[in-house]
Amino acid sequence: EHYGTEKQKSLLRLTLNILATVEACLSSPAVKKVIRSNKGTEANQCLQLWQELMQMWTVAGLSRSAQTNKSDQNTFALLKEFWETAPTVVGNCLDLIQRLLPVSHFLAALTSLMHEEDGNEALLVRSSQLLSGRVSEIDPNSAEASLFLEIVPNLVDLISEAAGSRRAAVVQQAALLAIEKLAHSLCLKSGDEKMLKSRSSYFTLAMERVTVLLNIQAKKVVEVMQKEGATTSDISESQLLSTAALCASTLISVLKTRCLPLLSKLLTPLISSLSSANSFLGKQETQGKDHIYQSAKLLQLSIVRTLLSVVENLSQFVVPFLDMLLLPAGLPSPSLRQSASEDDVPVLRMTERLDDALAKRTPARQLIPVACKAVAQCLKGEGSGCEEAQAVLSLLKSSIQGISKSELSPVVGKILNAVVTVFSFSGDEDKSANLQLSANETLLALVMKLSEAQLRPLYARLREWRGEFSEENQTKTTYVRRHAFWSLSAALSIELRSIFLPCLSSVLDDIVSELEFAASKLCNPTSAKIRNAGRKRQKLEVENESLKPLQPLLLCLESAFKADAHEGGGWIRGNDGKRYNMILEPLGKLLQAKIPHGIPLQTSVGTKEASSISSYEKLVQGTGTVDHGNVVGCLAALATAAGNEQFWKPLNHSLLDACSNEERAEVRKAGISGLLSVIQTLGEEYMVLLPECLPILSELLEDEDEEIAALAKECITQGEELLGESLEDAIS
C-alpha cells in the first residue's frame, strides 16, 4: 500500500527507533551480563527474542528485495531509508545476541530451526552463517567446543536435500561452509592429535555426502563449460562445486586415511572439472566477461586446494591419478599459471604449492615415469604444448632433485627420453627457447646426481642422438638437434666448469666442423644467383636455420675456456697446441663474417631494442648477447686460457686483421673491441705484443667512426698505464 500518510510515516519512524533502542540495549554491558547468565524462564525469553529477530530479519530482507525491484518514483525518502536501515539493524542485533547466548541455548535454537519442515531458506542460510561465526570464536580445547559437534548431522541433512532450485543451492553452500568451519575450528586448530582423532568421526558422513554432491555438480559443470556461449547463469553451477571442494579440502585434512574408500569418487570428478575449467578459460570468449571469469577462477582455486590437501595427507595414494592429473588440460594448463589479473595470482600461488607438494611428497620412482610420459603428450600437437610441457618439466626437475641416487638408475632412461622429445620439438621461436631452457635445467638436475664417470656415457648417448655432422645433409631435423645439443652443452659447461672439459674433448672434431661450416657459409658467401626468388628465399631460410647452433656453441666454448683458464689452461694447450689452433683458425675467421639479417639469435634485450641491433653486432661484437654467446667474448676467453705469447700471437693477428678491414667499419669495431677486452683481461702479460699492435692502433685513432677511434685511444691508454710510460712517440 501507499505510505504517504503522516500516521504511516510515524509508524516507520517508531519502528526504526525501536530497532535502534534494541541494538543499543544489546550493546550495553548490563544487558550482556544478564543474557550470558540467564537460566530457566529468562533463558527461554532470550531464545524467543533471538527467534523473533531471525524471523524479522528474514521478512525485512524479503521486503527490501521486493521494494528494490519496484520502480515506483513516488516512493518517498523515509520509506527508502527504512528498507535500507531496518534489515541491517536487525542483522546487527542478531549478531550481538548470538554471541551473548550460552552455547547450549544458541545451538538448541539453531537445531530447532533446522528441524522445521518447510523451513525458510533465508533463515537456514542465516543460521548456518551465524553458526560459522560463533564456532570460529570458540576455544577448540574447551568443554563447550564438543557441543558444536552435535549439530553436524543437521548440516549434513541440509547438503543432502535435492531441491534442484537455485535457492536450495544457496542453502547447500551455507551448510557446506558451516561444516568446513566446524571441522577447521574444532579439529585442525586444536593441536591435539588424540582429540582430532576422536572428533573426526563426526565428519565421516559429511565427507560421504560432500563426495556425492561433488559428483553431481561436476557433471553439470563439465556440461556447462563444454557448450558454446556459456552465460553467467550457467557458470553459477560452479559456485556450489567450488564450495563443496573447499569443504572437502578441510575434511580430508581432518579424516586423512578414513577418506581412502572415497578417494576415487572424489578425485576423478575434481580433475575432470579442473580440466574443463582450464579449457574454458583458455577460450577467447571468456575475455571481458568478469563474472564468468571470476567464477571459473574460483573453481580452479578450490579444486587445486583440494588436490593439495590430498597430496599433503594421502600422497602415497595419489599415484593412480597422476596420469589424469598431468594431462595437458589438467595441472600443466597455462590457465593455472598466468598472472595477468588479480584473480589469477591466488590460483598461480596455489598451483605452485601443489607442484611443490607433488615433487616432495609423491614417491619419485612413481612420479618421474608419469611426468616423462606427460611431457610427450603435451608436445603431440604440431607447434603447441610448449607451456604445458614446460610446467611438467619443472615438476620433473623438482622430483629429480629430491630423489636418492639409489632410486635414480631405473628412471634415467625415461628422463633422457623425455628430454630428447623436447630437444626434437620445433615450434614458436620464443616458446621453444623457453622450453629448451627448461629441458636443459631438468637434465642438469639429473647430471648433478651422477658421478663424473656416469656423465660421460650419458653425454655420449646425446651425441649419438644428435647424429654425425654433414654439410651436405642439412635438414630441419638435423639443425634442430644440433642446436639442442650445443644449447645443452653450454648449460653443462657453465654449471660443471672444468668437470665438463673431458666431455668436450670427445666432441672436439664436431666443434671444429661446426666452426668451419659457419666460417664457410658466413665468410665466403656464394656468388651463385638463383633465378627463382621463392627458391632463393627458401634456401636462405634453410641456411640461416642451419647456422642457429653457432651461438650456443660459442657460449659453450667461452664458458669452457674460462673454466680451463681457472685451472691453468692445460686443456686448450693440450696435444702440443693442436687443440688451440684447430679452434682458433675458424673462430678468428668469424670476425670477418657477413651475418645475414634473418639468422635466429638469442639476446638479453627487448624486442624493440634488438631490432635496432644488426646481426653482426649481436653474433660477433656481443652487443646484447653477452650471456648468450658471441665471437669476441669467445676469443677473449680463449686468450685467457692460452696463457703465453706463443699462443697469443696468432690470436692477436686475427684481431689485427679485423682492425685493418678498410671496407667494413663493423669488422674494425669488432677487432678493436676484442683487442681491448684481451688487454683488460690479461693486463701486463699481453704487453709483449703491444708493439705489433701500435701501427694499427695509430691508424684507428684517425678512423672516421668516432666509436672506433675512442676504442683505439682506450687501448693505448690501457697500454700506457700497464707499461708506466707514454706511447705518444711510438704512435706518432
Side-chain angles (χ1 to χ4, degrees):
E1 299 299 331
H2 297 287
Y3 291 86
T5 66
E6 287 300 321
K7 182 178 179 180
Q8 290 164 336
K9 289 180 180 179
S10 298
L11 180 60
L12 291 175
R13 293 191 186 97
L14 176 61
T15 305
L16 286 175
N17 289 335
I18 291 173
L19 289 173
T21 302
V22 173
E23 182 181 11
C25 287
L26 292 172
S27 301
S28 70
V31 174
K32 288 181 179 180
K33 183 177 180 180
V34 170
I35 294 176
R36 285 195 184 101
S37 61
N38 66 76
K39 296 179 181 179
T41 305
E42 294 177 350
N44 292 333
Q45 289 175 346
C46 287
L47 284 175
Q48 185 179 356
L49 173 61
W50 185 81
Q51 290 171 339
E52 288 178 355
L53 283 170
M54 287 287 287
Q55 294 287 351
M56 190 182 299
W57 178 84
T58 304
V59 173
L62 293 173
S63 299
R64 177 166 62 180
S65 299
Q67 193 65 39
T68 303
N69 292 332
K70 289 183 179 180
S71 56
D72 188 355
Q73 297 180 353
N74 297 322
T75 302
F76 57 94
L78 180 59
L79 183 59
K80 288 182 178 180
E81 180 189 352
F82 180 84
W83 292 120
E84 288 174 359
T85 306
T88 303
V89 176
V90 174
N92 292 341
C93 292
L94 269 173
D95 289 338
L96 286 167
I97 198 170
Q98 73 94 3
R99 285 179 170 82
L100 296 173
L101 279 172
V103 170
S104 57
H105 295 77
F106 171 73
L107 293 175
L110 286 183
T111 303
S112 175
L113 283 173
M114 292 178 182
H115 281 164
E116 289 181 4
E117 293 186 10
D118 302 323
N120 185 286
E121 291 174 1
L123 273 177
L124 292 173
V125 170
R126 183 62 176 173
S127 299
S128 300
Q129 291 171 343
L130 291 173
L131 177 62
S132 298
R134 186 67 181 267
V135 75
S136 63
E137 300 171 355
I138 290 291
D139 179 359
N141 298 311
S142 66
E144 291 180 329
S146 59
L147 297 175
F148 282 89
L149 295 169
E150 302 297 335
I151 205 169
V152 172
N154 297 303
L155 293 169
V156 172
D157 289 339
L158 290 181
I159 66 172
S160 305
E161 293 172 1
S165 66
R166 179 67 192 129
R167 290 175 64 85
V170 174
V171 175
Q172 289 177 308
Q173 278 185 267
L176 287 165
L177 289 172
I179 292 172
E180 191 277 333
K181 185 62 72 174
L182 284 166
H184 183 268
S185 298
L186 301 179
C187 298
L188 298 183
K189 285 176 64 177
S190 70
D192 187 329
E193 285 297 323
K194 186 176 180 181
M195 185 178 292
L196 171 61
K197 192 171 182 179
S198 64
R199 289 179 177 178
S200 63
S201 59
Y202 284 87
F203 296 96
T204 304
L205 180 60
M207 187 70 214
E208 293 176 4
R209 299 296 173 83
V210 170
T211 302
V212 171
L213 181 61
L214 277 171
N215 278 269
I216 294 171
Q217 288 303 119
K219 290 178 182 178
K220 294 180 181 179
V221 168
V222 170
E223 290 176 3
V224 164
M225 292 191 174
Q226 286 179 345
K227 73 178 185 180
E228 296 292 332
T231 64
T232 304
S233 176
D234 291 327
I235 299 302
S236 64
E237 291 289 351
S238 73
Q239 294 175 353
L240 181 55
L241 179 57
S242 299
T243 309
L246 178 64
C247 183
S249 171
T250 302
L251 291 177
I252 290 166
S253 298
V254 170
L255 295 171
K256 300 186 186 301
T257 54
R258 294 188 184 189
C259 295
L260 287 179
L262 301 170
L263 201 57
S264 178
K265 295 178 181 178
L266 179 70
L267 289 183
T268 302
L270 281 178
I271 296 173
S272 176
S273 299
L274 179 64
S275 298
S276 296
N278 293 343
S279 300
F280 177 81
L281 287 168
K283 298 176 183 177
Q284 293 295 321
E285 292 80 359
T286 60
Q287 295 181 359
K289 299 180 180 179
D290 291 341
H291 294 300
I292 296 175
Y293 188 85
Q294 290 171 358
S295 181
K297 295 303 291 187
L298 179 61
L299 179 59
Q300 284 183 320
L301 181 62
S302 58
I303 292 177
V304 173
R305 178 67 187 88
T306 306
L307 295 173
L308 175 60
S309 182
V310 173
V311 174
E312 288 178 339
N313 294 281
L314 304 167
S315 57
Q316 64 269 41
F317 302 102
V318 177
V319 175
F321 305 95
L322 289 176
D323 282 305
M324 184 180 183
L325 181 61
L326 294 182
L327 287 173
L331 184 59
S333 173
S335 66
L336 289 171
R337 302 168 186 277
Q338 58 195 17
S339 56
S341 70
E342 292 182 359
D343 297 313
D344 295 328
V345 176
V347 177
L348 173 62
R349 297 289 175 263
M350 192 64 70
T351 302
E352 290 172 345
R353 287 181 60 190
L354 178 56
D355 287 344
D356 186 62
L358 278 171
K360 291 180 178 178
R361 295 174 180 264
T362 308
R365 66 183 183 281
Q366 295 173 314
L367 174 61
I368 288 175
V370 178
C372 291
K373 179 182 175 184
V375 170
Q377 288 178 318
C378 292
L379 297 176
K380 276 185 178 179
E382 181 65 28
S384 63
C386 288
E387 293 172 283
E388 291 87 342
Q390 197 172 341
V392 180
L393 285 171
S394 177
L395 178 64
L396 183 58
K397 172 190 169 185
S398 299
S399 183
I400 293 170
Q401 289 173 334
I403 196 172
S404 65
K405 292 185 178 181
S406 61
E407 296 178 302
L408 190 60
S409 297
V411 295
V412 168
K414 291 181 172 60
I415 296 170
L416 196 58
N417 289 337
V419 172
V420 163
T421 300
V422 175
F423 288 164
S424 303
F425 179 81
S426 61
D428 176 85
E429 188 70 30
D430 291 334
K431 290 182 179 180
S432 294
N434 292 331
L435 184 60
Q436 170 84 53
L437 180 62
S438 295
N440 289 347
E441 291 175 351
T442 302
L443 194 56
L444 190 57
L446 171 63
V447 168
M448 298 304 288
K449 294 282 184 177
L450 303 177
S451 66
E452 190 174 346
Q454 291 172 311
L455 170 61
R456 294 177 189 177
L458 177 67
Y459 191 70
R461 287 177 64 181
L462 289 166
R463 162 65 181 80
E464 183 180 356
W465 164 80
R466 191 210 67 182
E468 295 296 331
F469 179 80
S470 171
E471 292 189 26
E472 293 75 24
N473 184 27
Q474 288 301 311
T475 64
K476 182 177 181 179
T477 299
T478 59
Y479 59 67
V480 165
R481 291 191 176 193
R482 285 168 49 223
H483 178 264
F485 179 78
W486 293 118
S487 295
L488 173 65
S489 298
L492 292 172
S493 180
I494 291 169
E495 187 68 28
L496 302 179
R497 298 181 63 78
S498 60
I499 295 175
F500 185 65
L501 292 177
C503 291
L504 214 54
S505 298
S506 67
V507 292
L508 180 62
D509 290 341
D510 297 330
I511 292 172
V512 175
S513 297
E514 289 277 6
L515 292 173
E516 289 177 343
F517 172 72
S520 67
K521 293 292 183 182
L522 298 174
C523 301
N524 301 301
T526 179
S527 59
K529 294 183 178 180
I530 302 175
R531 294 181 181 180
N532 186 286
R535 284 176 55 205
K536 181 177 181 179
R537 185 166 53 252
Q538 185 178 14
K539 182 176 180 180
L540 286 175
E541 289 175 357
V542 171
E543 287 189 352
N544 288 346
E545 288 292 336
S546 69
L547 293 168
K548 188 177 178 181
L550 176 59
Q551 189 181 27
L553 172 59
L554 291 172
L555 179 61
C556 175
L557 288 174
E558 181 180 347
S559 174
F561 295 154
K562 289 178 179 178
D564 187 37
H566 190 266
E567 298 295 325
W571 181 78
I572 194 61
R573 294 195 299 269
N575 296 330
D576 296 325
K578 290 181 180 178
R579 185 176 293 160
Y580 175 86
N581 292 319
M582 288 171 66
I583 293 174
L584 174 62
E585 183 180 355
L587 187 61
K589 290 179 180 178
L590 290 175
L591 288 169
Q592 312 275 353
K594 293 183 178 179
I595 313 298
H597 176 69
I599 187 170
L601 295 171
Q602 293 289 313
T603 68
S604 302
V605 297
T607 305
K608 185 176 181 180
E609 187 177 350
S611 63
S612 64
I613 305 172
S614 71
S615 296
Y616 182 90
E617 289 174 307
K618 295 173 188 173
L619 185 60
V620 180
Q621 295 178 8
T623 306
T625 58
V626 172
D627 299 325
H628 298 278
N630 59 85
V631 175
V632 168
C634 194
L635 283 169
L638 178 60
T640 307
N644 62 54
E645 180 184 353
Q646 176 188 349
F647 293 104
W648 289 334
K649 212 170 185 69
L651 187 148
N652 193 57
H653 288 161
S654 295
L655 292 172
L656 294 179
D657 284 345
C659 291
S660 303
N661 191 308
E662 297 179 356
E663 297 179 356
R664 298 170 60 197
E666 61 181 2
V667 176
R668 295 197 301 276
K669 184 178 178 182
I672 193 63
S673 297
L675 182 60
L676 177 60
S677 179
V678 171
I679 291 173
Q680 290 173 333
T681 303
L682 297 178
E684 189 175 349
E685 294 180 20
Y686 200 72
M687 290 300 96
V688 295
L689 297 176
L690 186 60
E692 62 184 66
C693 300
L694 290 177
I696 303 296
L697 291 174
S698 178
E699 293 180 12
L700 292 180
L701 287 173
E702 307 297 329
D703 198 283
E704 58 186 13
D705 189 314
E706 294 181 0
E707 191 171 354
I708 294 174
L711 289 170
K713 178 63 177 174
E714 180 63 22
C715 286
I716 293 171
T717 301
Q718 289 282 331
E720 288 176 336
E721 291 178 358
L722 292 168
L723 293 173
E725 60 183 71
S726 173
L727 296 174
E728 186 174 348
D729 293 339
I731 60 175
S732 58

